[in-house]
Amino acid sequence: MTTTPDMTTTGWTVLRVLRDRAAGPCLAAVVISGFGTSALWLACGVWVKDLTGSDGLAALCLLAMWAPAPAGPLLGALADRLCRKPLLVGANLLLAAVLPALLAVGSPGRIWLLYAVLFLYGATGVVADAAQSALVASTVGPALLGDFNGLRTAATEGMKLLAPLAGAGLYAAYGGACVALLDAVTFALAAILYALLRVREDRP
């Protein structure tokens, strides 16, 4: 008896957020880029394992991506010193441009390039997360902010379940380079969505 109203309420909440000129593009960008990120991190570990046969080197992929996290307060301060929309567009375009470099990773001697890209990936992600949180807080109306944050959390956690499986399947079928290109495309799409976002920001 309670399932239908709950589903109706959830559907209406999603519709309200997606129809909003600020919340809709932001949520879509989060989902798209989050899918690419979650697909890549598992595939990278498998990729290094296949190239080197080393579980330790494979685990370093996750370490390289999370290594910039302790510098989060310092990196996140960029979001307070720059306009958030251009910062998000630039961060996503940077990753879209850098990820194709992983096409050169075809031997154990090239895995350093994978670690370098993942480190940059992690550092850029810290900045982008801070900028996105600040942009959402200043552009999404108070009436929608709670719903937006709930949907963003649900989408992010959902991507962590589905995207790694998709990335692993894509890697098994076409290799790591294909997963890297997919991730680059998701960041390019996210950059477009942020660029189309209509928002006025005061200069920091």
Side-chain angles (χ1 to χ4, degrees):
M1 296 295 293
T2 60
T3 302
T4 301
D6 288 345
M7 292 178 63
T8 302
T9 301
T10 301
W12 175 242
T13 298
V14 173
L15 185 61
R16 287 178 62 226
V17 172
L18 291 179
R19 290 178 63 182
D20 187 82
R21 291 183 177 181
C26 284
L27 182 62
V30 169
V31 172
I32 292 172
S33 61
F35 179 88
T37 297
S38 297
L40 182 69
W41 72 261
L42 179 60
C44 282
V46 179
W47 196 354
V48 172
K49 171 68 174 177
D50 285 346
L51 288 174
T52 66
S54 171
D55 293 329
L57 291 177
L60 283 179
C61 290
L62 193 59
L63 178 61
M65 185 178 289
W66 285 99
L74 180 61
L75 293 172
L78 289 174
D80 296 326
R81 300 178 183 277
L82 300 171
C83 291
R84 284 71 180 259
K85 176 183 170 179
L87 180 58
L88 284 168
V89 173
N92 282 276
L93 287 179
L94 173 63
L95 292 177
V98 168
L99 281 165
L102 297 183
L103 295 175
V105 180
S107 65
R110 293 288 183 89
I111 61 171
W112 66 268
L113 180 59
L114 180 59
Y115 295 141
V117 170
L118 290 177
F119 183 84
L120 178 62
Y121 197 115
T124 306
V126 171
V127 176
D129 287 346
Q132 185 200 68
S133 297
L135 182 66
V136 168
S138 62
T139 58
V140 177
L144 278 179
L145 190 57
D147 291 336
F148 176 88
N149 287 329
L151 289 174
R152 178 173 59 178
T153 300
T156 301
E157 296 304 316
M159 289 302 100
K160 291 179 181 178
L161 295 175
L162 299 177
L165 297 177
L170 191 61
Y171 174 85
Y174 302 105
C178 187
V179 182
L181 289 178
L182 170 66
D183 200 13
V185 170
T186 64
F187 280 112
L189 292 175
I192 293 173
L193 287 169
Y194 284 123
L196 294 176
L197 188 63
R198 297 181 180 179
V199 57
R200 291 182 178 181
E201 294 186 80
D202 294 331
R203 184 176 297 275

